[in-house]
Amino acid sequence: MTTTRMTSETPGTAAAGHDALQRSRYGEVYARWRSDPEWFWEEAARDIDWIKPADRIFDPASGIFGRWFVGAECNVCYNALDRHVERGRAGQAALIYDSPVTGTIRTFTYHELRDEVATLAAVLQDMGVAKGDRVILYMPMIPEAVFAMLACARIGAIHSVVFGGFAARELATRLEDAAPKVVLSASCGIEAARVVPYKPLLDEAISLSSHKPETCLIYQRPQAEARLAEGRDRDWAAAVTDARKAGRMAPCVPVAATDPLYVLYTSGTTGRPKGVVRDTGGYMVALKWSMKNLYGVDPGEVYWCASDVGWVVGHSYIVYGPLLHGCTTILYEGKPVGTPDAGAFWRVASEHKAVVLFTAPTAFRAIKKEDPDARLLQGYDLSEFRALFLAGERADPDTVQWAERILGVPIVDHWWQTETGWPIAGNPLGLGALPIKYGSPTVPMPGYDVQVLDEGGKPLPADTMGSIAIKLPLPPGCLPTLWHADERFREAYLTTYPGYYNTSDAGFIDGDGYVYIMGRTDDIINVAGHRLSTGGMEEVLASHPAVAECAVIGVKDSLKGEVPCGFVVLKAGVAQSPAAVETELVGLVRERIGPVAAFKLAITVGRLPKTRSGKILRGTMKKIADGETWTMPATIDDPVILDEIGDALRRRGMGEGP
Ligand code: COA
Ligand code: AMP
């Protein structure tokens, strides 16, 4: 990629000052980490209960780039539940399930949650699940999803949660790769007004996968009961009732700190997702540290992350982080708008006295669009509410300023990835807030040596755009490898810049050390805070018999940030009309990848613009579609094709210049 020196037009550079930077403890804490990383994480690890302490805090000779807390034994579920029950939080709310789509609010104390989890863990053991076995969860946002994750953690099984908005084929890929002994699922999810039956998707996925789980435990929801398959499927409620009657509760099983807690699949540069492995000990240490120091939250307070347990944000900050810290966490089965209106977030935050909310910027754009004057905020008491955290995509300054104006609290953009498991950069409220610069997720967290590199891997000076990389080793909590794919891990992340982890994000760092994330360097796009591969969508389009070639790009969208747009060239002699093929292609992506891909734009063109060596000029097409200024690439084969693309876009009301 090319490197560009950022100018005074760089967003929001005016707000910060060196005095304010020094008032926070951030500088001192970051420097302490830099001077002795092992000591820093050893200190942080004191907040975790270990069955056996680590022989080595960091062992550079273990794993691919070293491993954290080698030799230690622990259990995440014990740290998230049992120890709070034993030490005075038994009667405190651990989990509040707030579901506007079913009209339900249910609270589970730490004691109740521990018992639910221990009982379900016993059910899993009865089904033959043991330490190291994989369990796939394909679940909506119901308490049973949280019980299931923690039940796996309790017995040392490795969970792999698959987001409900993915289609059967995506689920099948994950079944194939993770080879789970058991699948935990529910009969349906509820998408505002639409009931989404999960069981037919699960059945189809199992038939597509060569790996077959031994058992599927199905939680029946009244909105759409599922038919259970003889022999393979079991009724969740009945199994739990039987275990409860028999007084069965599984104890916590000790695991190595380096054992996997979960595998979470995320979009890679092809249709084949990457199985991000999360270890046990390092993850606990990093999350616990972040709860107080980054989010500024204390045990006993109510923490709300309005994401989904199918995403990394849900794993870390709906389930594990808040519970490890002894907070009350909210599981929200609803949307920012439409359940029932754009005041939903204010209702939940005030009703449960949340001190922070963590969501994606797109959720706030949706609220702003429906209720620009925030009239629906009136009447809600948000006096306990201290900060809004945004991640998943760049927080655009307009949305941040709007949120700041209506809420009157710090709006904290923070940057991270499925791979890292916790924020790489943020504004550490617990250490003392740093001045906010709009457009920047602020500064690197301890553990992360973030650098901007040129194409040759040389660090670039301040304010210069380049590839963002993290000097190895990655801190505790980050992925040690990909599931059964060490070589793919090396290739995908470590070989481009030797000695660094390549984030595949591009951006710059300013003179105050503030990080700016401006976009991806690969084919990943961010649609409503959901990470998707355009390469994966191209594979689906190319599989249509009428398509000769195709290119998918992410185009700007005022609500979702980006939406995919597919350009297709049809084979000569295709009998169907272009419009009919386009409709089929939209349906095909929904069927193969899922509704979450939000693929609604397929455009037939005569030719695709290419370089003389045959590379499709996706970057230029994106600029044209976004109405940005673009220059004719020197290597273009036939410049006229770009005019044709512009014309095709204009016919759809897109691509008008600035
Ligand atoms: N199960 C089944 N379908 C799902 C689903 C799930 N768990 N989640 C989303 N979908 C479907 C939606 O119903 C929608 O279907 P449609 O095409 O029939 O309308 C489609 O997938 C696209 O979903 P989405 O992109 O989320 O759009 P939306 O219009 O439903 O909602 C927002 C828009 C902005 C309200 C919503 O995207 C949102 O709340 N985003 C926040 C994202 C977030 O929290 N990300 C986590 C990172 S922090
Ligand atoms: P995911 O793995 O789904 O969390 O997506 C990670 C990607 O989302 C990152 O690599 C970024 O491209 C993008 N992203 C996440 N948070 C931010 C942020 N605060 N600012 C800019 N981009 C972000």
Side-chain angles (χ1 to χ4, degrees):
M1 64 170 306
T2 49
T3 54
T4 319
R5 189 117 188 130
M6 302 310 290
T7 66
S8 53
E9 283 156 20
T10 303
T13 44
H18 284 283
D19 291 353
L21 278 174
Q22 276 157 13
R23 276 199 295 274
S24 166
R25 285 175 50 230
Y26 164 75
E28 169 204 326
V29 172
Y30 191 79
R32 225 188 306 142
W33 161 72
R34 241 187 201 297
S35 69
D36 193 344
E38 287 191 41
W39 174 84
F40 183 91
W41 292 116
E42 186 175 11
E43 284 296 300
R46 290 187 204 286
D47 284 342
I48 297 298
D49 277 19
W50 303 92
I51 297 163
K52 175 180 173 292
D55 300 324
R56 293 193 66 172
I57 301 302
F58 181 70
D59 179 6
S62 296
I64 294 177
F65 60 83
R67 298 299 307 261
W68 291 97
F69 304 106
V70 173
E73 282 182 13
C74 51
N75 183 282
V76 173
C77 187
Y78 177 80
N79 276 278
L81 300 179
D82 300 61
R83 75 164 172 166
H84 299 311
V85 174
E86 291 163 13
R87 293 185 211 154
R89 295 194 187 279
Q92 180 198 309
L95 176 70
I96 299 172
Y97 166 57
D98 187 311
S99 168
V101 296
T102 58
T104 315
I105 295 179
R106 270 182 83 187
T107 299
F108 298 84
T109 64
Y110 268 97
H111 194 289
E112 288 163 343
L113 185 56
R114 197 269 316 265
D115 287 358
E116 291 283 358
V117 168
T119 308
L120 182 61
V123 170
L124 291 177
Q125 282 180 329
D126 291 346
M127 294 188 308
V129 178
K131 185 163 140 178
D133 286 339
R134 273 81 56 214
V135 176
I136 277 195
L137 275 59
Y138 188 55
M139 304 276 299
M141 288 283 284
I142 56 176
E144 286 69 20
V146 179
F147 304 165
M149 291 166 78
L150 290 161
C152 291
R154 193 169 187 86
I155 59 173
I158 302 165
H159 61 69
S160 187
V161 186
V162 180
F163 179 61
F166 282 124
R169 257 171 207 270
E170 291 286 323
L171 179 56
T173 316
R174 288 150 175 84
L175 282 169
E176 198 83 63
D177 199 64
K181 186 169 257 179
V182 165
V183 173
L184 302 179
S185 189
S187 56
C188 66
I190 303 165
E191 275 297 288
R194 185 164 60 99
V195 172
V196 184
Y198 279 13
K199 188 62 183 359
L201 299 171
L202 175 60
D203 289 341
E204 192 189 337
I206 293 173
S207 72
L208 288 170
S209 163
S210 66
H211 173 84
K212 313 286 179 197
E214 287 169 20
T215 313
C216 296
L217 191 63
I218 309 293
Y219 186 81
Q220 296 280 19
R221 304 187 79 186
Q223 292 78 8
E225 293 218 355
R227 217 167 48 82
L228 302 187
E230 193 81 24
R232 188 197 69 197
D233 296 345
R234 288 187 59 193
D235 181 81
W236 186 306
V240 168
T241 305
D242 289 350
R244 200 173 278 134
K245 273 196 201 133
R248 300 264 295 108
M249 284 215 227
C252 294
V253 171
V255 300
T258 49
D259 279 344
L261 169 66
Y262 64 77
V263 177
L264 180 58
Y265 289 88
T266 190
S267 298
T269 48
T270 65
R272 198 161 63 91
K274 295 168 172 165
V276 168
V277 174
R278 188 78 57 219
D279 75 0
T280 300
Y283 187 50
M284 280 198 282
V285 172
L287 290 185
K288 182 80 172 84
W289 185 92
S290 70
M291 287 299 295
K292 174 68 191 163
N293 296 290
L294 172 53
Y295 296 100
V297 169
D298 286 319
E301 293 190 313
V302 182
Y303 183 99
W304 180 24
C305 173
S307 179
D308 188 289
V309 290
W311 306 118
V312 67
V313 170
H315 281 63
S316 295
Y317 293 108
I318 295 175
V319 183
Y320 291 112
L323 295 177
L324 286 168
H325 200 47
C327 289
T328 300
T329 188
I330 299 175
L331 184 77
Y332 175 66
E333 189 182 29
K335 300 263 176 185
V337 294
T339 58
D341 57 30
F345 274 19
W346 324 137
R347 198 261 311 153
V348 174
S350 79
E351 192 163 336
H352 306 304
K353 298 190 171 26
V355 297
V356 304
L357 164 61
F358 174 176
T359 188
T362 188
F364 264 68
R365 285 198 297 270
I367 298 170
K368 182 171 72 160
K369 190 169 165 216
E370 292 227 340
D371 185 20
D373 300 322
R375 287 185 206 286
L376 294 168
L377 182 57
Q378 284 162 24
Y380 288 114
D381 175 10
L382 290 184
S383 51
E384 311 267 343
F385 188 66
R386 294 202 296 263
L388 169 68
F389 286 84
L390 299 172
E393 54 173 325
R394 181 164 180 268
D396 53 288
D398 273 1
T399 304
V400 172
Q401 283 162 327
W402 180 78
E404 209 169 53
R405 210 167 44 246
I406 63 156
L407 292 171
V409 298
I411 312 298
V412 179
D413 178 14
H414 59 330
W415 166 56
W416 51 306
Q417 308 184 312
T418 304
E419 288 84 346
T420 64
W422 67 289
I424 308 167
N427 195 335
L429 294 194
L431 297 176
L434 295 169
I436 287 168
K437 296 196 195 189
Y438 301 121
S440 165
T442 320
V443 289
M445 290 297 97
Y448 295 100
D449 180 351
V450 179
Q451 301 198 11
V452 181
L453 306 178
D454 69 11
E455 277 163 6
K458 264 204 359 255
L460 287 162
D463 295 323
T464 311
M465 186 87 163
S467 293
I468 307 198
I470 300 164
K471 204 158 190 341
L472 293 173
L474 291 170
C478 294
L479 81 173
T481 189
L482 294 174
W483 180 248
H484 287 174
D486 287 352
E487 211 31 59
R488 189 174 181 203
F489 172 68
R490 282 197 191 90
E491 265 168 39
Y493 302 103
L494 308 183
T495 49
T496 315
Y497 304 114
Y500 293 89
Y501 163 88
N502 178 13
T503 66
S504 292
D505 278 320
F508 63 97
I509 299 180
D510 75 6
D512 290 325
Y514 278 55
V515 178
Y516 290 80
I517 307 298
M518 306 308 286
R520 296 277 304 192
T521 57
D522 57 11
D523 76 339
I524 299 291
I525 57 170
N526 231 298
V527 181
H530 310 314
R531 170 170 160 178
L532 297 158
S533 155
T534 53
M537 293 184 217
E538 286 179 5
E539 283 174 24
V540 175
L541 299 187
S543 73
H544 189 286
V547 171
E549 58 177 344
C550 63
V552 176
I553 56 170
V555 299
K556 260 193 210 151
D557 181 84
S558 61
L559 175 64
K560 298 193 179 189
E562 267 181 318
V563 287
C565 172
F567 293 89
V568 290
V569 178
L570 302 189
K571 286 179 185 159
V574 167
Q576 280 170 294
S577 71
V581 176
E582 287 165 7
T583 306
E584 281 185 15
L585 292 173
V586 168
L588 202 60
V589 175
R590 192 177 173 95
E591 180 201 313
R592 298 264 177 93
I593 297 177
V596 69
F599 183 86
K600 310 242 154 110
L601 264 174
I603 304 180
T604 309
V605 289
R607 307 177 283 175
L608 291 174
K610 292 183 187 160
T611 61
R612 282 189 284 276
S613 59
K615 272 178 92 174
I616 298 173
L617 290 162
R618 292 182 179 77
T620 313
M621 289 162 77
K622 176 173 169 52
K623 285 207 170 108
I624 296 173
D626 286 347
E628 285 178 10
T629 316
W630 55 277
T631 46
M632 184 67 67
T635 54
I636 192 161
D637 187 29
D638 183 353
V640 176
I641 304 178
L642 289 176
D643 295 336
E644 294 169 10
I645 295 290
D647 290 344
L649 284 163
R650 266 187 295 280
R651 282 197 290 275
R652 303 290 177 106
M654 299 163 67
E656 292 306 331

